[in-house]
Amino acid sequence: YAALDRIREGLSPDAAADELCARVATQRIGDADATCGIILISPAGDVGVAHRSPHMSWAVARGEAPVEAGLQ
């Protein structure tokens, strides 16, 4: 929800996703560092992808356009 609020405030989906994952990555779960992976889409259709994990696959499909995908 915090990331969506940041988009509403004018931050790009990429920046909001990165900000959220950076905040999560400062946390610990038991003896391990927390990881994060998120895909955000603004009301205008802009996409942001961020993660703080070893790998994250993602894909975006928009109508008839070619599918965008990656493994980060």
Side-chain angles (χ1 to χ4, degrees):
Y1 181 80
L4 299 178
D5 269 346
R6 297 293 284 142
I7 291 173
R8 184 179 51 81
E9 294 168 358
L11 210 59
S12 72
D14 262 336
D18 193 57
E19 181 181 278
L20 175 68
C21 280
R23 192 168 5 144
V24 169
T26 67
Q27 305 298 312
R28 303 227 1 119
I29 300 173
D31 293 335
D33 292 332
T35 61
C36 176
I38 188 169
I39 300 170
L40 295 175
I41 304 173
S42 76
D46 300 316
V47 177
V49 178
H51 70 95
R52 296 295 188 282
S53 59
H55 303 287
M56 181 176 154
S57 58
W58 60 273
V60 177
R62 294 184 178 117
E64 299 299 319
V67 172
E68 299 172 52
L71 175 63
Q72 300 179 340

